[in-house]
Amino acid sequence: MYAEYYGFAAMPFQLTPDNRFFFGSSGHSRAIAHLAYGLSQEEGFVVVTGEVGAGKTTLVERLWSQLDRATYVIARVIPPQVTANELLRLAALAFGLEPIDDKPVLLRSMEEMLRAHSAAGRRAVLVVDEAQGLSVAALEELRMLSNAAENGRALLQTILLGQPQFRATLARPDLAQLRQRVLASHHLGPLGAAETEAYIGHRMKAAGWSGRPRWEPAAFIAVHRHTGGIPRQINRLCSRVLLYGALEESDAITGPMVEATASELQQDLNGADAAPQPPAAIAANGHDLARRLAALEQVVARRERVFRRLVDLLATRAEAAP
């Protein structure tokens, strides 16, 4: 709804990764460089880690958009808690093979597929997302699969994407052989305050932003403070802030608007989990309780205004419909 009100051609802060909105921050640009270098070696593993929502999947989408589809065949798997054999079947399915249960036959089928791609001048790349959930046995299965070669040339490269704890997994002594095959590794950190502001502007411009609404400097600062510079968190907060602005018919996004929206989002996530205080604690904190009640009343009043505004908009659309 806010996209229509502000004249966006697309939703600028959708949570689904979309290469059209890729923002080349310093960290993301370095990660792309590491991925490109790793692929140029035509063997081994490339590892990219980062917090949830840091943009790891978007990186691969960006890289994929830049690769020649006639030269590369990319398969992607997002394994849950799976066994080593189940991971092999997921990889086979991602490459378009029948995920049969007979492991020797499955491995032979995968090797034949990899050789066929190589003979046709195509390079096979397997992207494993959420790699922090893989067992040591599953990671070893990937290493063994990377042994497939012909005429001294590897038939498969693997990109491992994972959360920060995946680096500790790779440091295990029993994964030394896998570590030796990692050609490039990068940890994707959060955006700084200046990059957060640039990121917001970039995504809005990519969605057709013409300067409305304008963002006050305090709003950018508040977004960075509440999101820690994590792109997915930025998207989530900014989407709600723009909805707030549209419902209030505001042409400016202010710091207080961001603060109020961030508070509501936090209450939506954690409010129901808050443990009740005993009477003695409530009595000892009477002033704080009064402050919290006043803040709650303000939130309820604003949500009531938002609700009425939504009803009015829906009624207007219904009347305009043929």
Side-chain angles (χ1 to χ4, degrees), residues 62-75:
R62 176 67 171 183
L63 181 67
W64 196 345
S65 72
Q66 296 176 338
L67 295 178
D68 183 359
R69 300 299 179 89
T71 303
Y72 288 89
V73 176
I74 300 181

Side-chain angles (χ1 to χ4, degrees), residues 47-316:
V47 176
V48 177
T49 57
E51 296 290 348
V52 175
K56 302 180 293 295
T57 303
T58 303
L59 278 176
V60 175
E61 295 287 341
R62 176 67 171 183
L63 181 67
W64 196 345
S65 72
Q66 296 176 338
L67 295 178
D68 183 359
R69 300 299 179 89
T71 303
Y72 288 89
V73 176
I74 300 181
R76 181 185 173 205
V77 297
I78 308 177
Q81 298 291 335
V82 297
T83 66
N85 289 345
E86 288 170 340
L87 178 59
L88 278 179
R89 289 197 290 272
L90 284 174
L93 184 63
F95 276 115
L97 300 176
E98 183 70 25
I100 56 180
D101 292 331
D102 190 317
K103 182 177 177 180
V105 175
L106 179 62
L107 286 172
R108 186 166 60 251
S109 177
M110 290 189 71
E111 187 166 341
E112 290 174 353
M113 176 270 299
L114 293 173
R115 292 183 186 280
H117 282 309
S118 180
R122 295 186 293 268
R123 293 164 53 187
V125 179
L126 175 64
V127 179
V128 182
D129 210 341
E130 302 296 343
Q132 74 280 349
L134 295 177
S135 65
V136 171
L139 289 168
E140 274 295 289
E141 200 67 65
L142 289 177
R143 181 186 67 81
M144 295 297 291
L145 191 61
S146 72
N147 287 334
E150 188 170 47
N151 299 323
R153 179 184 178 186
L155 298 178
L156 177 69
Q157 282 188 283
T158 303
I159 298 174
L160 299 174
L161 308 176
Q163 295 174 26
Q165 60 266 36
F166 182 53
R167 303 184 81 84
T169 300
L170 286 177
R172 291 173 54 110
D174 46 357
L175 288 176
Q177 292 188 68
L178 175 60
R179 284 199 307 278
Q180 292 169 6
R181 300 194 180 200
V182 175
L183 300 176
S185 178
H186 182 76
H187 180 73
L188 194 59
L191 303 179
E195 285 189 322
T196 295
E197 178 175 346
Y199 173 85
I200 294 171
H202 169 80
R203 290 193 69 106
M204 291 199 301
K205 289 176 183 175
W209 182 49
S210 60
R212 178 177 176 269
R214 61 181 177 82
W215 284 64
E216 295 185 353
F220 291 120
I221 295 172
V223 168
H224 182 260
R225 182 172 64 255
H226 285 287
T227 64
I230 300 298
R232 187 181 299 164
Q233 297 298 328
I234 296 172
N235 291 353
R236 179 170 165 268
L237 177 55
C238 286
S239 183
R240 285 284 289 267
V241 168
L242 287 174
L243 176 61
Y244 177 4
L247 292 173
E248 295 289 341
E249 299 184 338
S250 174
D251 288 335
I253 303 299
T254 67
M257 290 171 65
V258 176
E259 295 289 349
T261 304
S263 178
E264 286 190 11
L265 283 172
Q266 192 64 32
Q267 289 175 5
D268 290 345
L269 289 175
N270 302 328
D273 298 329
Q277 288 184 312
I282 293 177
N285 296 281
H287 292 297
D288 181 62
L289 179 60
R291 179 186 59 80
R292 292 169 60 188
L293 283 173
L296 180 59
E297 288 174 352
Q298 291 178 359
V299 169
V300 171
R302 191 167 73 81
R303 288 188 174 181
E304 178 64 23
R305 293 198 307 273
V306 168
F307 176 75
R308 288 199 300 268
R309 175 62 177 155
L310 279 171
V311 171
D312 291 342
L313 287 174
L314 290 174
T316 301

